[in-house]
Amino acid sequence: MRFELDPELTDVVREQIITLWTDASNAGGSIGFVGQVTRDDVAPVARAAFDGIAAGIDRLLVGYDEDGVVAAMLILVSQRFALSEHWRTLGRVMVHPRRQGRGEGAALMREGERIGREMGLAGLHITVRGGMGLERFYGPLGYREVGRLPGALRVAPGDDRDEVLMWLDLS
């Protein structure tokens, strides 16, 4: 996988990201949706993310497959608050379902860490949906649980999940 920071957000790249996001969501990825979604569900959320990237506030890391198609991504999201400019939240972390299990998610996270260090950040934050086992993925990459919001995520009536806050210290 070839990584690129802040690629030009052409119509093709935007469409490939929406396709990735839809496919990853429909495979059970916890990236903002629950259950099956369509491109029409994902597109407005993606457009909002694109706005922050296009404005230069947030940074987009894309992983391209051997055919040059977007196959992985994450966004280094600013808190848009002066007192928090020394760290970023990693949002919309995803690898296409056909490419999972190859270590590409860990490679994506390591590249995000490298970029965070290059940016001079003190840390990276990520939130994960409890009950998915995601802590077992992020833990070996150096992230540690620093908090938990009990029942903060309602995935269905009667199915509330914890939002788990994880931190990677870069200092």
Side-chain angles (χ1 to χ4, degrees):
M1 183 168 291
R2 177 182 62 83
F3 295 108
E4 183 178 353
L5 180 63
D6 298 326
E8 183 180 351
L9 281 174
T10 64
D11 290 343
V12 170
V13 169
R14 289 170 188 257
E15 287 304 310
Q16 289 178 2
I17 288 172
I18 291 169
T19 298
L20 166 64
W21 202 329
T22 303
D23 292 348
S25 292
N26 287 336
S30 81
I31 42 182
F33 299 96
V34 176
Q36 297 297 292
V37 296
T38 66
R39 293 178 62 78
D40 290 339
D41 297 321
V42 173
V45 178
R47 278 194 296 273
F50 297 152
D51 289 346
I53 295 162
I57 299 167
D58 301 326
R59 311 284 304 270
L60 173 64
L61 176 62
V62 169
Y64 294 96
D65 68 14
E66 47 284 339
D67 296 322
V69 175
V70 174
M73 66 169 270
L74 63 75
I75 304 171
L76 292 106
V77 180
S78 168
Q79 303 311 300
R80 293 159 171 78
F81 182 61
L83 298 179
S84 301
E85 277 302 302
H86 61 290
W87 61 275
R88 294 291 183 277
T89 296
L90 298 182
R92 312 305 185 189
V93 177
M94 61 188 93
V95 174
H96 196 280
R98 288 190 307 263
R99 301 187 67 91
Q100 292 177 0
R102 302 179 182 186
E104 292 176 344
L108 176 69
M109 293 300 294
R110 283 192 295 274
E111 184 66 7
E113 176 184 348
R114 186 192 68 73
I115 290 164
R117 289 182 188 284
E118 192 173 271
M119 291 172 64
L121 299 176
L124 296 173
H125 166 253
I126 190 163
T127 61
V128 300
R129 185 182 302 166
M132 306 281 295
L134 295 169
E135 302 93 327
R136 290 190 306 272
F137 172 75
Y138 293 107
L141 294 169
Y143 287 80
R144 62 185 172 84
E145 183 176 328
V146 294
R148 187 175 283 260
L149 301 174
L153 304 172
R154 180 156 292 157
V155 298
D159 186 4
D160 293 350
R161 307 280 180 91
D162 292 354
E163 183 170 40
V164 182
L165 313 175
M166 301 189 80
W167 179 259
L168 177 65
D169 189 341
L170 298 178
S171 57

